[in-house]
Amino acid sequence: GENVEQHPSTLSVQEGDSAVIKCTYSDSASNYFPWYKQELGKRPQLIIDIRSNVGEKKDQRIAVTLNKTAKHFSLHITETQPEDSAVYFCAASRTGANNLFFGTGTRLTVIP
Amino acid sequence: GAVVSQHPSRVICKSGTSVKIECRSLDFQATTMFWYRQFPKQSLMLMATSNEGSKATYEQGVEKDKFLINHASLTLSTLTVTSAHPEDSSFYICSALPGLAGGPSVFGPGTRLTVL
């Protein structure tokens, strides 16, 4: 099965700085890579996703890059704000399967 | 947008009892739903894929006789934790897929199970 690794497990940044979270995956057939933000006790919320036919995708302050050859993808948050503080999970799946394999999570703290 | 609900949101039960958790897609039909388990401060772990009208597909290490899944309609999947024990205490989250395959899953709000 798929194995997704995520680093770092915790990340603290000053407000306004950038944050980068990295993930690697093992299954070369995976082709869909979403990122979720989860606040304590709540459901994961999709913040951005990317498919394997694209190398980069951006949505305002959030961007994701994918290196399919190396099997890694990264989340970039620029101009961080305190409300960005949460746990972020990367995930991977195959089209048609749709079951998500999650990374271990990164607790992001944005210090005002 | 697409909404998935879960019921109950919290449940406390005694060891040895069974607990049923419902997952509903409110405004779309879902032939496939997924059940995840999340222990405190850990990631979401896929337990099983629930298929409408057929047997669920369980991930390795998940006991199908302990975690019974029924997907009797296109909008409802249920997870029953049988003979629950304290180690089954966890946050159980379902998800469903609206629209085309490969699109983003929509997660339910989760059910926190505490087994005394």
Side-chain angles (χ1 to χ4, degrees), chain A residues 14-81:
Chain A
Q14 292 288 335
E15 182 178 359
D17 287 350
S18 296
V20 180
I21 303 170
K22 299 181 179 182
C23 287
T24 60
Y25 61 99
S26 62
D27 187 353
S28 57
S30 290
N31 53 13
Y32 175 63
F33 308 94
W35 285 89
Y36 289 87
K37 177 182 180 182
Q38 187 181 32
E39 297 180 357
L40 187 63
K42 297 190 176 180
R43 77 185 85 193
Q45 297 279 358
L46 178 71
I47 56 171
I48 196 167
D49 57 8
I50 191 168
R51 299 188 184 279
S52 60
N53 58 346
V54 175
E56 184 174 358
K57 183 177 179 180
K58 188 174 182 179
D59 182 4
Q60 299 183 337
R61 297 187 296 110
I62 297 173
V64 56
T65 58
L66 171 66
N67 183 326
K68 197 176 180 188
T69 303
K71 288 192 272 194
H72 66 70
F73 55 114
S74 301
L75 176 71
H76 304 253
I77 306 175
T78 58
E79 300 172 31
T80 53
Q81 301 167 2

Side-chain angles (χ1 to χ4, degrees), chain A residues 32 38 43 51 98 100 102-103, chain B residues 36 38 43 97 102 104 107-108:
Chain A
Y32 175 63
Q38 187 181 32
R43 77 185 85 193
R51 299 188 184 279
N98 304 308
L100 295 169
F102 283 83
Chain B
Y36 297 85
Q38 186 176 32
S43 187
L97 190 68
F107 283 88

Side-chain angles (χ1 to χ4, degrees), chain B residues 85-107:
Chain B
H85 292 283
E87 57 265 31
D88 297 324
S89 298
S90 187
F91 194 47
Y92 291 85
I93 310 177
C94 69
S95 74
L97 190 68
L100 297 174
S105 293
V106 179
F107 283 88

Side-chain angles (χ1 to χ4, degrees), chain B residues 4-114:
Chain B
V4 173
S5 70
Q6 274 183 247
H7 178 79
S9 58
R10 291 178 177 268
V11 56
I12 300 172
C13 69
K14 293 182 178 180
S15 186
T17 61
S18 294
V19 174
K20 180 185 284 188
I21 302 170
E22 294 185 348
C23 176
R24 292 182 185 274
S25 57
L26 297 185
D27 48 3
F28 64 98
Q29 294 183 334
T31 55
T32 303
M33 294 184 175
F34 304 93
W35 287 96
Y36 297 85
R37 178 168 56 183
Q38 186 176 32
F39 292 111
K41 297 186 179 181
Q42 293 190 24
S43 187
L44 287 84
M45 297 299 295
L46 178 66
M47 298 176 66
T49 302
S50 173
N51 304 298
E52 188 269 335
S54 64
K55 291 183 179 180
T57 304
Y58 291 82
E59 294 300 310
Q60 191 172 9
V62 178
E63 300 176 57
K64 61 180 181 181
D65 294 331
K66 180 169 181 64
F67 298 99
L68 302 179
I69 291 173
N70 184 282
H71 195 151
S73 79
L74 288 172
T75 60
L76 173 64
S77 174
T78 61
L79 168 68
T80 301
V81 183
T82 63
S83 186
H85 292 283
E87 57 265 31
D88 297 324
S89 298
S90 187
F91 194 47
Y92 291 85
I93 310 177
C94 69
S95 74
L97 190 68
L100 297 174
S105 293
V106 179
F107 283 88
T111 295
R112 183 158 303 282
L113 170 63
T114 302

